[in-house]
C-alpha cells in the first residue's frame, strides 16, 4: 500500500483529499503546516513515506521552502505540489524548488490519483531501451549507467531525483534525436491529456544545473528552438 504525506492547511480540503486517497488504497499521513510535515519526514517512521502532496500556500514555512528542504534531505521522494491559482510564477517557482509535478486546485479525484500513480512509477524507473552504458569522450566524462540507473561525471556520482533521471534516460537513449516537449511530457510524466511544457522546461533546467559545466551553454541537454530538446553533442 503506497504511503503518501498530504500537506494542506485547509482542514476541509485536507480531510476530503485524505478520504479520497484512502478509498483508492493509499496509506496517508497528514500535516497542516510545513514544520509539521518536515518533522514527520525526519521522524523514525518518515522512511515509509513514498510521496508528498504539498500545498504551496502554507502558514509559517511556505510550500516553496518546504519543497527545497525536502530536496535537501532526499532526491528520491516525489513531490506533487498543489496550487490554488495556476499562477505562472508560483508554478515555475515550485518546479524550480524541486517539485516533480503540480495540480491546480480544486482537483478531481481521478486527476490527483493519476498524477500520484505516475509519480510513484517514476520513482522506480526502468531504463529505456538502448546501450547498457553510454559514454563518449565528447561528453566530457559523463557516464550514464542505464542498467544501474546511476549517473557520474569525472568519476563523481550525481544523484538525480526520479523525474530528472527518467528525463535523462529518455533523451540519452537516442542521442541526436529531437524530442518535442509533448513527447517528453507523455513518456516521462505520463500525461495523456493536455500537458504543460513548464514541467519539461523546469526539469531540463534542474538537470543542466547538475550536469553542465556552464548551464547557459549546455553540451548534454540541448535546446532545438521551436522543436524541443536533444541529447548531444552531435
Amino acid at each position: 500500500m503506497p504511503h503518501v504525506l498530504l500537506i494542506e492547511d485547509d482542514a476541509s480540503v485536507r480531510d476530503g483529499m485524505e478520504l479520497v486517497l484512502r478509498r483508492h488504497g493509499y496509506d496517508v499521513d497528514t500535516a497542516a503546516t510545513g514544520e509539521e510535515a518536515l518533522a514527520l519526514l525526519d521522524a523514525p517512521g518518515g522512511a515509509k513515506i513514498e510521496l508528498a502532496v504539498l500545498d504551496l500556500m502554507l502558514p509559517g514555512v511556505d510550500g516553496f521552502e518546504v519543497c527545497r528542504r525536502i530536496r535537501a534531505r532526499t532526491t528520491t521522494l516525489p513531490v506533487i505540489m498543489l496550487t490554488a491559482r495556476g499562477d505562472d510564477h508560483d508554478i515555475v517557482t515550485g518546479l524550480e524548488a524541486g517539485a516533480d509535478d503540480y495540480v491546480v486546485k480544486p482537483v478531481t479525484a481521478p486527476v490527483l490519483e493519476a498524477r500520484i500513480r505516475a509519480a510513484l512509477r517514476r520513482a522506480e524507473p526502468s531504463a529505456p531501451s538502448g546501450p547498457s552504458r553510454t559514454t563518449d569522450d565528447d561528453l566530457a566524462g559523463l557516464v550514464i549507467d542505464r542498467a544501474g540507473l546511476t549517473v557520474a561525471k569525472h568519476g563523481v556520482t550525481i544523484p538525480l531525483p526520479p523525474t530528472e533521471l527518467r528525463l535523462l534516460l529518455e533523451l540519452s537513449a537516442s542521442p541526436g534525436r529531437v524530442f518535442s516537449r509533448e513527447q517528453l511530457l507523455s513518456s516521462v510524466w505520463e500525461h495523456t491529456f493536455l500537458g504543460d511544457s513548464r514541467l519539461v522546461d523546469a526539469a531540463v533546467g534542474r538537470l543542466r544545473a547538475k550536469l553542465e559545466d556552464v548551464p547557459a551553454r549546455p553540451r548534454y541537454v540541448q535546446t532545438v528552438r521551436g522543436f524541443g530538446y536533444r541529447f548531444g553533442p552531435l
Side-chain angles (χ1 to χ4, degrees):
M1 180 181 294
H3 200 110
V4 173
L5 173 60
L6 172 61
I7 311 161
E8 166 63 64
D9 66 314
D10 187 310
S12 61
V13 173
R14 186 174 65 248
D15 291 346
M17 293 180 69
E18 180 183 6
L19 180 61
V20 166
L21 292 174
R22 290 190 181 279
R23 284 178 174 172
H24 280 85
Y26 295 94
D27 195 2
V28 183
D29 283 340
T30 63
T33 67
E35 293 89 340
E36 184 181 350
L38 293 169
L40 284 171
L41 288 168
D42 288 339
K48 67 185 178 182
I49 295 171
E50 299 172 66
L51 178 142
V53 178
L54 171 64
D55 185 26
L56 291 181
M57 298 297 106
L58 296 172
V61 179
D62 65 22
F64 303 110
E65 182 60 24
V66 172
C67 190
R68 294 186 190 100
R69 294 187 188 183
I70 289 174
R71 279 291 163 259
R73 288 163 165 80
T74 174
T75 62
T76 59
L77 182 72
V79 177
I80 298 176
M81 66 180 190
L82 299 173
T83 176
R85 294 174 294 161
D87 179 86
D88 281 355
H89 175 74
D90 285 352
I91 290 171
V92 171
T93 303
L95 293 173
E96 289 177 345
D100 297 278
D101 201 351
Y102 76 92
V103 293
V104 177
K105 296 190 296 184
V107 57
T108 64
V111 168
L112 178 61
E113 209 269 327
R115 296 292 185 94
I116 289 174
R117 281 190 284 109
L120 288 171
R121 284 193 293 270
R122 288 197 300 276
E124 297 181 353
S126 57
S129 60
S132 62
R133 198 169 177 85
T134 299
T135 182
D136 193 290
D137 291 338
D138 290 338
L139 296 184
L142 183 70
V143 176
I144 303 168
D145 186 340
R146 307 181 69 79
L149 299 177
T150 60
V151 179
K153 186 175 180 180
H154 302 308
V156 178
T157 298
I158 302 173
L160 295 176
T163 298
E164 293 168 34
L165 178 58
R166 282 292 295 269
L167 177 60
L168 181 59
L169 291 172
E170 187 72 21
L171 288 167
S172 64
S174 302
R177 174 186 170 186
V178 178
F179 292 83
S180 70
R181 290 171 174 83
E182 291 74 17
Q183 288 173 319
L184 293 171
L185 197 63
S186 175
S187 59
V188 176
W189 282 266
E190 301 181 32
H191 288 191
T192 56
F193 43 89
L194 288 177
D196 194 322
S197 64
R198 289 172 293 193
L199 288 167
V200 180
D201 294 339
V204 166
R206 297 196 305 265
L207 195 56
R208 284 173 172 167
K210 296 167 185 174
L211 298 183
E212 305 286 355
D213 294 329
V214 183
R217 297 196 299 273
R219 300 185 65 191
Y220 306 129
V221 183
Q222 300 178 346
T223 300
V224 181
R225 294 191 181 278
F227 294 94
Y229 297 104
R230 71 182 172 204
F231 185 80
L234 295 178

